[in-house]
């Protein structure tokens, strides 16, 4: 079977139309719910970004994998290379694989999706509220400087035990400007840096619909 997985940060149970939100309209997600089966009990592998994705990709508790709750924007590490991802398992069954959106399991090349079982990837390597991206304008052609407040709630995450400062390279300037990364069979291109957030949804939509159209006659994840 073809597999499509949607994994969303900060989406509460009542944030969709089919669960009764009074003002938010989510007709496409509602159609999936009404045309399938709704499971009303779900526990994420972690309350925050990287830990939850590590659990999702490996099926293991994030602490056992060795991933902190949150990787910062200048992290030198990633999901340990000895871990097997669901994409790598599905490749053994001759699946085509693609991923779109925030990865947040390491932004060095060896940790990006192309090295972890995914044939295609379009997305951002860490959260859009990290580094200068948090204080930047949406449009990439806005040349005004971000404020000096480059924080991303690091202290809060550290106090909660979600951040490991020892794997950060705080001198890395790349962590200040969020990139849009594209990978095809592990060949990597930076399409934009800084990223134009006003056009991101359209780029994501085009990427996913094009991928499904091209691979609809074969098993894909």
């Amino acid at each position: 079977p073809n597999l499509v997985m949607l994994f969303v940060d900060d989406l509460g149970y009542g944030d969709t139309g089919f669960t009764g939100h009074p003002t938010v309209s989510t007709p496409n997600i509602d159609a999936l719910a009404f045309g399938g089966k709704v499971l009303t009990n779900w526990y994420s592998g972690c309350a925050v970004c990287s830990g939850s994705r590590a659990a999702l990709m490996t099926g293991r508790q994030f602490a056992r994998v060795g991933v902190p709750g949150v990787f910062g924007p200048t992290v030198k590490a990633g999901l340990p290379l000895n871990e097997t991802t669901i994409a790598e398992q599905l490749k053994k069954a001759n699946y085509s694989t693609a991923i779109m959106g925030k990865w947040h399991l390491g932004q060095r090349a060896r940790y990006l999706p192309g090295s972890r079982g995914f044939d295609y990837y379009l997305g951002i390597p860490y959260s859009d509220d990290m580094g200068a991206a948090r204080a930047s304008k949406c449009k990439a052609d806005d040349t005004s400087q971000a404020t000096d407040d480059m924080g991303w709630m690091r202290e809060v995450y550290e106090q909660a035990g979600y951040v490991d400062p020892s794997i950060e390279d705080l001198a890395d300037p790349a962590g200040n400007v969020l990139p849009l990364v594209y990978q095809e069979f592990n060949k990597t291109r930076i399409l934009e840096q800084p990223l134009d957030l006003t056009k991101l949804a359209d780029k994501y939509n085009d990427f996913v619909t094009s991928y499904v159209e091209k691979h609809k006659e074969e098993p894909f994840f």
Side-chain angles (χ1 to χ4, degrees):
N2 293 327
L3 304 174
V4 178
M5 182 181 293
L6 309 178
F7 192 67
V8 187
D9 283 354
D10 305 320
L11 179 70
Y13 179 82
D15 289 344
T16 56
F18 77 91
T19 53
H21 197 284
T23 58
V24 173
S25 176
T26 56
N28 294 322
I29 293 178
D30 296 351
L32 291 174
F34 296 142
K37 194 173 189 65
V38 177
L39 306 178
T40 59
N41 199 24
W42 162 266
Y43 293 93
S44 180
C46 180
V48 290
C49 313
S50 303
S52 61
R53 285 164 171 76
L56 183 72
M57 284 290 107
T58 65
R60 303 183 64 205
Q61 294 182 23
F62 77 98
R64 291 181 180 273
V65 172
V67 170
V70 178
F71 281 129
T74 59
V75 70
K76 297 179 289 186
L79 180 68
L81 301 179
N82 63 330
E83 294 292 338
T84 301
T85 69
I86 184 174
E88 289 169 325
Q89 284 290 86
L90 289 171
K91 290 298 295 180
K92 296 176 183 178
N94 297 317
Y95 270 68
S96 174
T97 55
I99 184 169
M100 174 275 290
K102 187 179 78 165
W103 173 241
H104 216 164
L105 286 173
Q107 58 259 37
R108 305 304 193 219
R110 63 185 177 275
Y111 296 116
L112 286 173
S115 300
R116 311 314 303 263
F118 288 97
D119 299 329
Y120 302 93
Y121 168 56
L122 178 68
I124 57 178
Y126 51 83
S127 294
D128 59 9
D129 63 351
M130 289 181 165
R134 181 171 184 264
S136 66
K137 307 297 184 183
C138 284
K139 290 189 176 181
D141 58 2
D142 189 325
T143 58
S144 61
Q145 295 295 312
T147 68
D148 291 334
D149 179 16
M150 301 297 187
W152 49 270
M153 297 178 64
R154 175 186 292 275
E155 291 184 2
V156 175
Y157 284 119
E158 285 186 359
Q159 290 171 4
Y162 283 137
V163 174
D164 180 2
S166 68
I167 58 175
E168 302 287 331
D169 180 7
L170 299 180
D172 183 357
N176 284 335
V177 186
L178 184 69
L180 179 63
V181 180
Y182 176 72
Q183 290 188 298
E184 185 170 338
F185 295 104
N186 211 15
K187 293 182 178 180
T188 306
R189 286 190 291 149
I190 305 299
L191 301 183
E192 297 176 11
Q193 193 174 18
L195 167 64
D196 183 353
L197 295 171
T198 65
K199 304 294 184 183
L200 186 58
D202 293 335
K203 293 184 176 78
Y204 281 169
N205 181 72
D206 291 344
F207 171 78
V208 170
T209 54
S210 174
Y211 173 82
V212 171
E213 181 64 28
K214 290 179 181 178
H215 297 274
K216 63 183 180 182
E217 301 300 329
E218 59 181 309
F220 66 76
F221 171 61

